[in-house]
Amino acid sequence: MIDKVYDITIVGGGPVGLFAAFYAGLRGMTVNIIESLSELGGQPAILYPEKVIYDIPAYPQLTGEELTDNLIKQVGRFEDRITVCLREEVFQFEKQDDHFLIQTSKGHRRSKAIIIACGNGAFAPRTLGLENEADFADKNIFYNVHKLDQFAGKNVVICGGGDSAVDWALALYGLAKKVTIVHRRDVFRAHEHSVELLKASGVTIFTPYIPTKLQGDVDGAKSISIQKVKGEEELQLDLDALIVSFGFSTSNKNLKSWNLDYKRSSIKVTPLFETSQEGIFAIGDAAEYEGKVDLIATGFGEAPIAVNQAIKYIYPDRDNRIVHSTSLIN
């Protein structure tokens, strides 16, 4: 699909990017979503899947996971028009005749218009930093957990010392065959009560240790070596699954190479969400304008405006009058 020219490419697969993709599909556009993470949903899906969100219109309350599931289901209505590219980062784009050539970490993509919905930059997990870690990242190394059942009966090792690491250890104890947690410090950063529960449980605890090496094969990681901090003691822990809970970071390092006017980590836009480069738009937390309110609901409202403007840019001679969705879907 690399040489296919899409109508609209959306950079970012968080809530605002997903809704923009749905609306573009509703308008009959072909869409390519490029997301740097290994899954869709952005921060609500990764950082607070269980936390309740109260400011989504028509939903008195719903969790980050529920919001993500609903948006993905909504996008699925147009699966024949919408392509998703995961674990792919956008480096730069260049206008070529009637489309943009988008350079990414996996090669290049082509699109007639671009909508940037990447928040404050590429969102990525902090890794162990071990040499062959990437070889197992799509197999049995996890940087966040959604479904605990996938670890049932398995030997699970968790690296980290914050709330997420400790909470996952407690949730998996009794479900997994064995749970081991490794932290580089003697003191955990998690809530005191959670740490007390952890120490009272049957979870195996190694502190202060740091991971030094991963061993495995084509099926995934099989063991991890850990070393005592400021010591020579080294252990090898067998595992079926490894959870790395070092948190996540955002980076806007590629923003400088996009040749767009920006302020700090956001892109300056007009009231129609146009950037300084014709054919490129920005919405959600990626967009900067006077009076901006950084809410998911705000981004949802910005998405249809940017999509409609993108359609006018791509097809200026068409009848681009807005039609209500009740007339577009039978």
Side-chain angles (χ1 to χ4, degrees):
M1 304 298 288
I2 285 180
D3 288 324
K4 177 176 179 178
V5 180
Y6 291 89
D7 288 319
I8 299 174
T9 289
I10 297 174
V11 182
V16 174
L18 286 171
F19 185 67
F22 162 76
Y23 187 78
L26 186 69
R27 292 296 312 277
M29 298 294 102
T30 57
V31 182
N32 187 18
I33 302 174
I34 301 179
E35 168 56 50
S36 62
L37 291 174
S38 60
E39 61 187 277
L40 296 170
Q43 295 193 30
I46 303 299
L47 295 184
Y48 45 93
E50 300 301 325
K51 288 189 177 181
V52 178
I53 303 171
Y54 297 97
D55 54 6
I56 303 299
Y59 285 94
Q61 65 179 62
L62 79 172
T63 65
E65 182 178 18
E66 290 169 340
L67 174 64
T68 301
D69 289 345
N70 287 343
L71 286 165
I72 292 174
K73 182 180 179 181
Q74 192 175 38
V75 166
R77 178 182 289 274
F78 302 114
E79 58 183 3
D80 58 327
R81 302 175 193 169
I82 300 174
T83 301
V84 177
C85 300
L86 299 174
R87 296 181 63 83
E88 189 163 351
E89 192 173 344
V90 173
F91 294 149
Q92 60 184 12
F93 26 76
E94 178 184 357
K95 186 66 182 296
Q96 293 191 345
D97 298 324
D98 63 344
H99 69 272
F100 291 93
L101 180 67
I102 305 171
Q103 298 291 341
T104 79
S105 55
K106 293 186 178 180
H108 65 265
R109 309 284 176 187
R110 299 179 188 274
S111 184
K112 297 176 183 177
I114 299 171
I115 297 177
I116 299 170
C118 61
N120 292 318
F123 188 57
R126 293 189 174 94
T127 65
L128 294 169
L130 300 181
E131 182 179 358
N132 59 341
E133 183 174 356
D135 296 338
F136 310 122
D138 290 326
K139 297 172 182 175
N140 64 338
I141 295 182
F142 302 84
Y143 298 96
N144 60 292
V145 176
H146 290 306
K147 307 296 182 184
L148 294 177
D149 290 347
Q150 64 187 318
F151 301 103
K154 294 184 177 181
N155 183 0
V156 181
V157 174
I158 301 172
C159 291
D163 286 308
S164 294
V166 172
D167 288 346
W168 285 337
L170 291 171
L172 288 171
Y173 180 67
L175 175 67
K177 179 181 178 181
K178 181 180 180 181
V179 179
T180 302
I181 189 167
V182 179
H183 184 40
R184 62 180 178 175
R185 295 189 176 93
D186 279 321
V187 179
F188 286 92
R189 292 178 287 106
H191 191 277
E192 290 182 4
H193 179 64
S194 298
V195 175
E196 291 175 0
L197 293 175
L198 178 71
K199 292 180 177 179
S201 72
V203 173
T204 302
I205 301 173
F206 286 105
T207 61
Y209 279 85
I210 57 172
T212 57
K213 186 178 180 181
L214 285 167
Q215 300 85 18
D217 54 30
V218 294
D219 295 322
K222 302 299 180 184
S223 65
I224 185 170
S225 296
I226 61 174
Q227 184 175 351
K228 191 85 169 183
V229 175
K230 297 181 181 180
E232 298 182 357
E233 182 183 355
E234 190 168 352
L235 302 171
Q236 182 172 305
L237 308 177
D238 293 333
L239 59 86
D240 298 313
L242 174 64
I243 299 174
V244 180
S245 182
F246 289 170
F248 288 77
S249 63
T250 56
S251 172
N252 63 348
K253 63 181 184 296
N254 295 324
L255 184 56
K256 294 180 181 179
S257 63
W258 289 355
N259 295 319
L260 302 173
D261 289 343
Y262 66 93
K263 180 180 179 182
R264 292 189 289 274
S265 60
S266 299
I267 300 166
K268 294 182 179 180
V269 296
T270 71
L272 296 178
F273 303 100
E274 302 160 313
T275 70
S276 57
Q277 188 170 162
E278 190 178 24
I280 300 177
F281 306 82
I283 56 177
D285 289 350
E288 167 71 24
Y289 56 88
E290 186 177 356
K292 173 74 176 186
V293 178
D294 290 327
L295 292 175
I296 295 174
T298 304
F300 285 163
E302 296 168 354
I305 300 173
V307 169
N308 287 326
Q309 292 305 310
I311 294 172
K312 289 180 181 179
Y313 167 77
I314 300 167
Y315 303 109
D317 298 326
R318 280 191 186 180
D319 181 357
N320 288 312
R321 286 177 294 180
I322 308 303
V323 178
H324 292 298
S325 61
T326 51
S327 301
L328 291 172
I329 299 178
N330 295 323

